[in-house]
Amino acid sequence: MSEQRKLYVRSFGCQMNVYDAQRMTDTLAREGYVETDSPDDADLVILNTCHIREKAAEKVYSELGRLRKAQEEAGRQQMVAVAGCVAQAEGAEIIKRARAVDLVVGPQSYHKLPELLAEAEARRSGKAGARAKLVETEFPVEDKFDFLAPPTREAIGKRGPTAFVTVQEGCDKFCTFCVVPYTRGAEVSRPLAKILDEVIRLADGGVREITLIGQNVNAYHGLDAAGRPANLAELVRRVADVPGIARVRYTTSHPRDMDEELIAAHRDMPALMPYLHLPVQSGSNRILAAMNRKHDRELFFEIVARVREARPDIAFSSDFIVGFPGESDEDFADTMDLVGRVGFASAFSFKYSPRPGTPAAGMEGQLPEDVKSARIYALQALLDRQKAAFDEACRGRRFDILLEKPGRFPGQLIGRSPYLQSVVVEAPREAIGTLARVEVREVSTKSLSGDILGGEFFAGRPIGETRFIGQSEKLEA
Ligand code: SAM
Ligand code: SF4
């Protein structure tokens, strides 16, 4: 191993980027890089960027400006790489706009990072004073996952009991507002056995909950050992069977790809969490058609009903876009109506942001900012009320939480409910990574809190609401 250097990675955007950042860190660990949480003492800074909306992309340039200023003030020599979807979409433009950058690398080339960095370093030192630049944004044919290093046991342990695993990348749906098909490329599914190997390794390192991720995860069709395509339901079942894995989630799904088997998996598999992120984007059929979403509101209602029938305690979350070109007051009213009919436990909503190169960016009927603002305000107010009502309905409910990390105060741990709510409980650190049965006692806007009734760590121990609090204090002392 070469000499130790410090690496700082900052990720913007979605879970795919969080996963990619971990795999880049694991790959560079082999080259002697150790992670630091400050850009100021890093030898290498990687900005792992998001291009989905204009604001997300602009953040990168302001961060690069800040980095350059800090470098100049401290007289520091630091390598800077821009990765992720802005790198893919804007390539050489980044080098033109941001002088601090040494390397631009797209999401399909992360496995080449060690050699690209070595080349960028050599170029930089080869030209006295001038910074030579390197841009790698090809879509190579090899499976990058074969070349990215897996995490060590130590790295898995540090990241806690939940993990993302990318199972599918890219998208062939071509919604007219979206850059993903251009930045992440065509849809590709990883083979089943490779995903299972990764899950086994994670479980061996103490991971209990796996979230299978992909831009269009329920279009998964990776090959099984016999060379036949396996669907997401099959993959979920196989992942849930891995010893140590207690919970499985998947995201993000497209309504069109919610097949019968996947819906049945929600009925038959207790390990599959009763929480489904199913983006709908709009409640207006006219707008859904203009978005090329390949589903209408009726299909969305039908899927929600079928999933609810299969798993009555399921809760839904979704993504919404307001102010798509040509969206009228009536179209927006249809979105509000859809939200009212379905009822969401949580949701993400965005003002439409024209993305260069996408069909919607050139459509007539682009809406002014004040119309978008008024609509997003109204939609978010409704979604916030629904979230508050859902959380409130959890008061007094009993469910398992996965204890993930210490809380703010001594003796507290934070776990996640089946619905991804943070739940604060009194419990000793040794219980992290175990499932605990809780009864929800209090509900606030940020989190729930509850009393532990039992669970894996507490089996056979004399716990009750108050007795346990005393016991945790003793264990902490
Ligand atoms: N594949 C997923 C799907 O089909 O819904 C999500 C992909 S994207 C990473 C996450 C969300 O960003 C989308 O669901 C959409 O709501 C939002 N989004 C994508 N492009 C957008 C744009 N141009 N303007 C505003 N929001 C956008
Ligand atoms: Fe983008 Fe649509 Fe593909 Fe989702 S399904 S990634 S919104 S093109």
Side-chain angles (χ1 to χ4, degrees):
M1 210 200 260
S2 43
E3 129 208 31
Q4 210 176 63
R5 285 173 294 179
K6 288 192 179 155
L7 163 68
Y8 172 77
V9 187
R10 175 150 184 219
S11 268
F12 301 83
C14 65
Q15 294 103 329
M16 307 283 295
N17 268 6
V18 176
Y19 176 83
D20 285 349
Q22 290 178 349
R23 301 300 299 270
M24 285 191 264
T25 307
D26 296 332
T27 300
L28 291 172
R30 282 187 174 171
E31 307 294 311
Y33 281 97
V34 289
E35 254 186 300
T36 167
D37 51 14
S38 158
D40 295 336
D41 65 349
D43 299 292
L44 168 62
V45 174
I46 299 180
L47 299 184
N48 192 19
T49 62
C50 172
H51 199 245
I52 200 84
R53 284 168 291 278
E54 192 180 355
K55 259 198 193 147
E58 277 308 317
K59 272 192 202 154
V60 182
Y61 291 105
S62 58
E63 184 63 20
L64 285 170
R66 207 197 59 75
L67 267 175
R68 181 162 160 243
K69 200 161 161 251
Q71 281 176 356
E72 281 171 359
E73 277 168 14
R76 194 172 39 236
Q77 286 291 308
Q78 196 172 45
M79 293 281 288
V80 176
V82 176
C85 293
V86 178
Q88 188 63 42
E90 298 190 3
E93 178 66 23
I94 298 175
I95 302 266
K96 255 196 252 156
R97 275 186 66 181
R99 278 177 31 213
V101 179
D102 298 280
L103 170 65
V104 176
V105 54
Q108 306 308 323
S109 306
Y110 294 158
H111 55 300
K112 294 188 186 164
L113 259 178
E115 61 184 273
L116 291 170
L117 281 169
E119 206 181 320
E121 238 167 27
R123 285 181 179 215
R124 184 173 160 177
S125 50
K127 290 191 184 173
R131 288 195 157 199
K133 320 287 184 174
L134 197 58
V135 179
E136 173 77 31
T137 51
E138 294 299 302
F139 282 111
V141 282
E142 67 260 43
D143 177 6
K144 71 173 179 192
F145 295 102
D146 282 348
F147 298 92
L148 285 165
T152 58
R153 252 185 98 90
E154 196 197 345
I156 297 169
K158 264 199 207 150
R159 289 170 189 162
T162 63
F164 295 131
V165 175
T166 293
V167 304
Q168 174 280 328
E169 268 208 286
C171 184
D172 295 340
K173 294 275 192 300
F174 288 93
C175 299
T176 53
F177 53 81
C178 184
V179 288
V180 168
Y182 313 98
T183 55
R184 293 274 175 167
E187 207 180 282
V188 179
S189 295
R190 295 177 68 192
L192 191 93
K194 288 191 180 162
I195 296 167
L196 291 176
D197 282 350
E198 194 171 325
V199 172
I200 291 166
R201 195 182 175 96
L202 290 166
D204 190 47
V207 168
R208 306 295 314 280
E209 175 180 305
I210 296 286
T211 304
L212 304 169
I213 56 175
Q215 269 94 17
N216 207 176
V217 74
N218 54 345
Y220 176 79
H221 58 272
L223 298 183
D224 66 10
R228 281 187 299 258
N231 60 17
L232 187 65
E234 163 90 21
L235 178 61
V236 167
R237 189 163 49 249
R238 299 288 296 275
V239 168
D241 282 347
V242 171
I245 298 301
R247 293 173 150 193
V248 186
R249 305 177 186 275
Y250 60 88
T251 196
T252 296
S253 297
H254 192 285
R256 187 87 246 172
D257 294 322
M258 284 305 298
D259 62 32
E260 212 41 64
E261 266 189 79
L262 191 53
I263 294 174
H266 280 281
R267 183 190 59 220
D268 302 333
M269 295 185 37
L272 185 54
M273 289 295 96
Y275 186 59
L276 180 58
H277 183 64
L278 195 61
V280 63
Q281 314 298 356
S282 168
S284 152
N285 283 343
R286 210 175 63 81
I287 295 298
L288 287 169
M291 286 177 164
N292 189 31
R293 281 292 290 180
K294 303 176 170 59
H295 65 81
D296 54 18
R297 58 189 264 135
E298 287 74 23
L299 180 67
F300 190 79
F301 289 139
E302 189 193 317
I303 292 164
V304 167
R306 273 161 51 205
V307 179
R308 278 193 170 135
E309 196 187 346
R311 182 84 202 230
D313 62 343
I314 199 146
F316 287 90
S317 82
S318 197
D319 289 346
F320 297 89
I321 295 178
V322 301
F324 186 81
E327 185 188 69
S328 65
D329 286 342
E330 291 71 40
D331 294 318
F332 177 64
D334 282 348
T335 298
M336 296 291 274
D337 174 73
L338 179 141
V339 173
R341 285 172 192 237
V342 174
F344 293 94
S346 132
F348 299 98
S349 45
F350 312 100
K351 291 188 217 173
Y352 168 69
S353 166
R355 307 310 293 130
T358 58
M363 284 181 185
E364 283 179 12
Q366 303 286 331
L367 294 179
E369 201 50 33
D370 59 338
V371 172
K372 292 184 193 175
S373 295
R375 287 182 187 167
I376 196 100
Y377 185 80
L379 176 61
Q380 286 180 348
L382 175 58
L383 290 166
D384 285 350
R385 284 199 300 278
Q386 291 194 341
K387 180 184 179 320
F390 180 80
D391 288 346
E392 190 52 45
C394 289
R395 194 189 291 272
R397 267 184 82 176
R398 295 175 172 200
F399 42 55
D400 287 344
I401 64 167
L402 177 59
L403 296 167
E404 284 185 13
K405 56 184 182 192
R408 260 176 77 196
F409 300 106
Q412 282 187 342
L413 294 184
I414 298 179
R416 291 278 192 163
S417 77
Y419 308 109
L420 280 182
Q421 297 142 307
S422 290
V423 186
V424 181
V425 291
E426 305 273 349
R429 266 172 180 263
E430 294 83 336
I432 289 177
T434 67
L435 287 171
R437 190 85 184 151
V438 299
E439 181 172 315
V440 177
R441 185 174 16 94
E442 277 169 34
V443 176
S444 76
T445 45
K446 287 221 168 83
S447 61
L448 314 179
S449 60
D451 298 313
I452 292 187
L453 307 174
E456 293 171 334
F457 178 80
F458 310 94
R461 292 170 198 241
I463 53 162
E465 294 171 16
T466 45
R467 259 184 306 156
F468 178 69
I469 294 171
Q471 188 194 26
S472 90
E473 277 164 3
K474 247 187 276 144
L475 282 165
E476 282 288 316

